[in-house]
Amino acid sequence: MATRLFSRSKISILASIVLQNLTKNPSKNFSFIAFKPKSPIVDFVAHEPVLGLRQYHDGRPRGSLWRGKKLIGKEALFVILGLKRFKDDEEKLQKFIKTHVLRLLKMDIVAVLIELERQEETILAVKIFDIIRKQDWYQPDVYIYKDLIIALARTGKMNEAMQVWESMRKEDLFPDSQTYTEVIRGFLKDGSPADAMNIYEDMIKSPDPPEELPFRILLKGLLPHPLLRSKVKKDFEELFPEKHAYDPPEEIFGKL
């Protein structure tokens, strides 16, 4: 109690001293309204650039977490989780597709396909692609085929990749150089050089001129098969006379 009384009396004494000084020296009064600092204060406006400089984001999230997944909607994310949950149970998977996948809008089901490919859930991606092909709004798109075939080849699903390949050709669509490259690489990793050569022959007959990369992959992957490699090397030298095909020393063939 004594401490509180002392503090209050101290505050009242200081206040009286300040009032006396202000009344004695009115010219030195401080007007907080009229106060102007020596250095000018720049009024920053959030949506306007300052001195022509761009204002960058400070790192805080701008929107909801749902919109952070490349603008995938809530329903699309829910479908992706459900497909992955029931992928080992065909009966539950088909029921989930009927009740949830078929009701998706065009952009959502395409987003589901792309995200499944990114997550390497390629078998589920093939199922979604089959559903997309049955929609009224579907039109053959070589880029949808390309992404799905490359995803299948990179995950070693070569049989499924060739089924999609055949569907693409039936719709009069042709793969590009990257698609040829990934499929050839996939067959070589799978230990199927004959299938890789079949894709190579199709690439040679393609209306688009072949690029150098698939030749390089074949020349490296066909080292244990010198007869097949010699044919690819001959074509490579004819198509790219300014390029050089590296031949490893003979002792390397003995180690393969």
Side-chain angles (χ1 to χ4, degrees), residues 9-231:
S9 61
K10 185 176 180 180
I11 293 174
S12 61
I13 293 171
L14 292 174
S16 62
I17 294 174
V18 171
L19 289 174
Q20 291 177 4
N21 291 333
L22 290 176
T23 54
K24 291 180 180 179
N25 302 313
S27 60
K28 295 182 180 180
N29 290 349
F30 288 92
S31 178
F32 293 98
I33 298 176
F35 175 74
K36 295 182 180 180
K38 295 182 179 179
S39 58
I41 299 176
V42 180
D43 187 13
F44 290 94
V45 181
H47 62 275
E48 295 181 357
V50 180
L51 299 179
L53 299 178
R54 178 183 176 185
Q55 297 183 11
Y56 292 93
H57 182 45
D58 59 1
R60 291 176 292 181
R62 293 184 182 272
S64 65
L65 293 177
W66 291 106
R67 295 178 62 84
K69 298 286 187 179
K70 294 184 179 180
L71 300 180
I72 299 179
K74 293 181 180 180
E75 291 189 6
L77 286 174
F78 174 78
V79 166
I80 292 170
L81 295 175
L83 291 172
K84 294 169 65 177
R85 178 182 180 184
F86 300 122
K87 65 180 180 181
D88 296 328
D89 191 329
E90 187 63 26
E91 183 178 355
K92 292 183 179 180
L93 180 61
Q94 292 301 324
K95 183 178 179 180
F96 183 82
I97 289 175
K98 291 180 181 179
T99 55
H100 294 87
V101 177
L102 296 179
R103 58 182 289 185
L104 290 176
L105 299 176
K106 174 181 176 181
M107 296 304 297
D108 287 332
I109 195 170
V110 172
V112 169
L113 173 64
I114 295 173
E115 183 62 19
L116 289 175
E117 292 171 354
R118 189 189 68 82
Q119 297 184 18
E120 297 185 349
E121 296 287 349
T122 51
I123 300 302
L124 292 175
V126 172
K127 293 181 180 295
I128 296 299
F129 180 63
D130 291 338
I131 295 173
I132 290 176
R133 292 178 62 195
K134 298 176 182 178
Q135 303 302 311
D136 296 335
W137 47 262
Y138 170 75
Q139 294 181 354
D141 190 333
V142 68
Y143 295 104
I144 293 181
Y145 275 106
K146 170 185 175 178
D147 293 340
L148 184 56
I149 291 172
I150 290 177
L152 289 166
R154 289 178 175 175
T155 54
K157 306 293 193 306
M158 300 310 300
N159 292 332
E160 291 79 2
M162 293 313 299
Q163 291 176 3
V164 179
W165 182 286
E166 294 299 328
S167 299
M168 176 181 63
R169 298 305 301 270
K170 289 179 181 179
E171 295 186 355
D172 295 328
L173 300 175
F174 293 90
D176 61 359
S177 180
Q178 183 183 5
T179 310
Y180 280 117
T181 301
E182 295 298 333
V183 173
I184 289 173
R185 194 199 308 269
F187 275 126
L188 291 176
K189 288 183 178 180
D190 195 48
S192 304
D195 293 326
M197 288 299 296
N198 291 333
I199 300 299
Y200 168 75
E201 295 292 342
D202 189 83
M203 181 185 71
I204 295 298
K205 299 176 183 178
S206 174
D208 296 329
E211 296 184 4
E212 181 181 352
L213 182 58
F215 285 92
R216 296 289 185 185
I217 292 175
L218 278 169
L219 290 173
K220 181 179 179 181
L222 294 177
L223 285 175
H225 310 279
L227 294 179
L228 296 177
R229 187 178 186 275
S230 62
K231 181 181 185 306

